[in-house]
């Protein structure tokens, strides 16, 4: 009996040795598959957007359709702030299988923004959704946005709201201006988005989101092209049509604005220089060869008007302030 047990044990050991030694050889020779189990590793992911669901911690949160878990170990910045639905969040998370668990949530500040522009895109009543006013995307929620006077296309509107990092304005108040209360003449500047396809270029143009009529009486200076920046002056006709009297295509140098002063604030998407906010883009070049950027240092920025009245920096040079 003992010999039989020893023999069986020897067979088992031989099989194990064969599997351990022979399996790699089989895999290398292509004679058969070898299943090797390896534990799955968590994957680090990053996403951002508007918080559409916030619950107690621990619990499930949501950013524009992406669900993730938040627990006591999740770092929330700014420290002490309680995120709310509508906040813009940048989320760092770990994916394990189908589960996303947030490790850090950064809430981006939404800045106050005010401007006036022409309404060129208007959702149907009750006007919820995205408007286009003066070339700026404006989000309106009739339950949260105070709208004074009935809006209509080609009417002017004064807008107050908070600027999101994606450059959409969440409107808190919109005052629609009666055309009779606004001067018939207008003037603005922005990118050329549409040129009439006629041989003489007469017909509807769109500049900075504003559609206007170009005729033989329109004075065009420079070589217009899609994407070029142009200054426009015009008037409103009796039927409400906007007529572009003059279109002046700006050169790159003419479209640039110089801003200089002490750095008052540094954020990921904008700096405040000498009281002026300057937006940062992926292509913005920051020259720190003279000193590191910090609040209190001197900065000179070359920027352009990118949307509404906002300035987007092309280049920023940082220096130490003069003693």
């Amino acid at each position: 009996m003992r010999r039989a047990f020893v023999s069986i044990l020897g067979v088992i050991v031989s099989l194990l040795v064969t599997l351990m030694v022979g399996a790699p050889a089989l895999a290398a020779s292509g004679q058969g598959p070898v299943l090797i189990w390896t534990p799955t590793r968590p994957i680090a992911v990053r996403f951002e957007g508007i918080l559409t669901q916030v619950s107690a911690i621990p619990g499930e949160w949501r950013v524009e359709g992406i669900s993730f878990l938040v627990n006591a170990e999740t770092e929330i910045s700014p420290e002490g702030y309680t995120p709310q639905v509508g906040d813009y969040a940048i989320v760092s998370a770990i994916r394990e299988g189908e589960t996303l668990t947030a490790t850090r949530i950064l809430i981006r500040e939404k800045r106050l923004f005010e401007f006036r522009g022409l309404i060129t895109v208007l959702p149907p009543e009750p006007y919820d959704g995205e408007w286009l006013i003066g070339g700026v995307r404006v989000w309106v929620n009739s339950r949260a946005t105070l709208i004074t006077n009935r809006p209509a296309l080609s009417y002017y509107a004064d807008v107050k709201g908070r600027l999101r990092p994606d450059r959409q304005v969440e409107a808190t108040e919109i005052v629609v201006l009666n055309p009779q209360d606004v001067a018939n003449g207008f003037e603005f500047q922005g990118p050329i988005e549409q040129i009439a396809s006629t041989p003489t270029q007469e017909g509807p143009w769109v500049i900075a989101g504003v559609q206007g009529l170009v005729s033989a009486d329109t004075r065009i200076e420079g070589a217009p092209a899609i994407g070029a920046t142009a200054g426009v002056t015009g008037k409103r006709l009796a039927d409400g049509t906007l007529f572009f009297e003059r279109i002046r295509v700006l050169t790159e140098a003419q479209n640039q604005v110089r801003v200089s002063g002490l750095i008052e604030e540094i954020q990921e998407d904008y700096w405040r220089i000498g009281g002026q906010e300057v937006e940062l883009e992926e292509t913005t070049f920051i020259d720190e060869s003279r000193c590191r950027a910090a609040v209190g240092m001197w900065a000179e920025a070359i920027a352009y008007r990118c949307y509404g009245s906002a300035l987007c920096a092309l280049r920023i040079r940082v220096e130490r302030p003069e003693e």
Side-chain angles (χ1 to χ4, degrees):
M1 181 70 178
R2 183 177 179 182
R3 289 181 179 178
F5 175 76
V6 171
S7 298
I8 294 172
L9 182 61
V11 171
I12 294 174
V13 171
S14 298
L15 287 172
L16 289 174
V17 171
T18 301
L19 288 172
M20 294 174 63
V21 176
L26 287 173
S29 63
Q31 295 180 14
V34 176
L35 300 178
I36 301 176
W37 179 83
T38 56
T40 58
R41 295 183 178 180
I43 301 173
V45 298
R46 183 178 181 274
F47 52 92
E48 59 185 88
I50 299 297
L51 283 171
T52 54
Q53 177 180 318
V54 175
S55 60
I57 299 175
E60 182 178 340
W61 293 24
R62 185 181 293 268
V63 166
E64 297 183 1
I66 302 176
S67 297
F68 58 96
L69 299 179
V70 177
N71 56 35
E73 297 179 356
T74 303
E75 177 189 350
I76 298 178
S77 182
E79 186 177 356
Y81 178 74
T82 302
Q84 303 174 4
V85 171
D87 284 343
Y88 194 93
I90 300 175
V91 182
S92 299
I94 296 296
R95 180 187 294 278
E96 294 182 286
E98 298 299 321
T99 303
L100 280 174
T101 303
T103 56
R104 184 170 188 262
I105 301 174
L106 172 63
I107 303 299
R108 297 286 288 275
E109 179 186 6
K110 293 179 290 186
R111 290 163 287 147
L112 295 176
F113 194 70
E114 297 184 23
F115 69 99
R116 172 181 290 188
L118 284 169
I119 302 173
T120 53
V121 173
L122 180 67
E125 198 170 357
Y127 313 117
D128 287 347
E130 187 173 88
W131 299 26
L132 192 65
I133 303 177
V136 178
R137 296 182 301 120
V138 178
W139 183 259
V140 172
N141 181 341
S142 58
R143 292 176 296 178
T145 307
L146 175 62
I147 302 175
T148 303
N149 301 325
R150 187 179 182 85
L153 293 175
S154 298
Y155 277 32
Y156 275 95
D158 287 334
V159 182
K160 293 182 180 179
R162 294 189 176 275
L163 182 64
R164 292 174 20 171
D166 62 359
R167 295 182 178 175
Q168 184 185 66
V169 174
E170 294 179 11
T172 56
E173 182 179 359
I174 295 178
V175 178
V176 180
L177 306 176
N178 190 314
Q180 296 178 354
D181 298 333
V182 181
N184 286 331
F186 58 84
E187 183 175 352
F188 64 92
Q189 177 179 307
I192 300 174
E193 301 170 8
Q194 177 183 313
I195 298 175
S197 58
T198 60
T200 59
Q201 297 184 329
E202 296 177 24
W205 286 41
V206 177
I207 300 177
V210 178
Q211 180 170 307
L213 179 65
V214 169
S215 73
D217 295 327
T218 302
R219 185 172 65 181
I220 300 177
E221 301 174 10
I226 301 298
T229 301
V232 180
T233 56
K235 63 182 179 181
R236 184 189 301 274
L237 303 180
D239 62 358
T241 301
L242 301 180
F243 174 61
F244 292 169
E245 296 178 300
R246 181 190 181 199
I247 299 174
R248 179 170 174 252
V249 182
L250 304 179
T251 64
E252 183 175 341
Q254 290 171 328
N255 189 37
Q256 291 179 356
V257 178
R258 293 182 178 271
V259 178
S260 61
L262 295 177
I263 301 175
E264 301 172 358
E265 184 179 359
I266 295 179
Q267 298 292 340
E268 291 186 24
D269 56 346
Y270 77 95
W271 289 16
R272 185 185 298 275
I273 302 173
Q276 174 68 57
E277 287 188 5
V278 179
E279 303 281 336
L280 302 185
E281 299 184 307
E282 292 183 0
T283 56
T284 300
F285 176 72
I286 300 177
D287 181 0
E288 297 179 278
S289 60
R290 293 167 177 80
C291 70
R292 298 288 294 175
V295 172
M297 295 295 104
W298 182 268
E300 294 184 357
I302 299 176
Y304 70 98
R305 299 194 182 279
C306 45
Y307 63 98
S309 58
L311 296 178
C312 290
L314 298 169
R315 177 187 177 93
I316 301 176
R317 185 177 66 187
V318 183
E319 299 179 351
R320 295 187 181 279
E322 295 181 0
E323 299 295 339

